């Protein structure tokens, strides 16, 4: 069973004296792996302690940024899309729960 890992993980494994087995994914496989990684990181965030949530949230953000780049969106373009949607439909600041 494999999984998508951060770029420096193979080097970290090698520095510990082990030999990692890895490959570079093709574009379609990479996109699918990023989607799976997003769910993995969201799950980890959901189950993290309050103390660990900031770090887990940063992992979610890193995957979102990688997905955006994979889709050809810069961070700025993604922020603009989010701002446009927020202007049109609002954000989540008011904590509205629709029954």
């Amino acid at each position: 069973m494999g999984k998508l890992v951060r770029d420096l993980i193979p080097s970290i494994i090698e520095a510990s004296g082990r030999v990692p087995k890895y490959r570079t994914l093709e574009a379609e496989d990479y996109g699918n792996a990023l989607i799976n990684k997003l769910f993995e990181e969201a799950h980890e965030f959901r189950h993290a302690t309050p103390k660990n949530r900031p770090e887990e949230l940063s992992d979610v953000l890193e995957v979102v940024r990688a997905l955006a780049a994979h889709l050809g969106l810069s961070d700025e373009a993604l922020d603009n899309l989010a701002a446009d949607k927020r202007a049109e439909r609002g954000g989540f600041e008011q904590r509205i729960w629709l029954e």
Side-chain angles (χ1 to χ4, degrees):
M1 179 195 113
K3 71 176 191 171
L4 185 66
V5 296
R6 289 176 177 260
D7 297 339
L8 297 180
I9 296 301
S11 297
I12 293 169
I13 292 170
E14 288 171 353
S16 75
R18 295 177 293 160
V19 178
K21 182 178 177 185
Y22 64 94
R23 64 187 170 93
T24 301
L25 297 174
E26 297 295 329
E28 183 177 343
D29 291 335
Y30 176 58
N32 290 330
L34 281 169
I35 293 167
N36 291 335
K37 191 69 168 182
L38 180 60
F39 280 93
E40 174 190 332
E41 296 299 348
H43 177 80
E44 289 177 9
F45 174 80
R46 181 178 196 170
H47 295 284
T49 63
K51 179 184 173 196
N52 291 333
R53 281 193 172 156
E55 182 177 346
E56 295 299 335
L57 186 58
S58 74
D59 289 340
V60 172
L61 180 59
E62 190 68 24
V63 175
V64 168
R65 286 181 174 159
L67 271 165
H70 181 68
L71 295 173
L73 297 171
S74 66
D75 288 347
E76 181 182 3
L78 182 61
D79 288 343
N80 289 339
L81 285 169
D84 291 347
K85 194 156 194 178
R86 191 177 311 109
E88 179 183 319
R89 300 180 66 101
F92 296 97
E93 292 82 15
Q94 294 180 22
R95 300 183 234 166
I96 296 170
W97 181 269
L98 190 61
E99 298 289 344

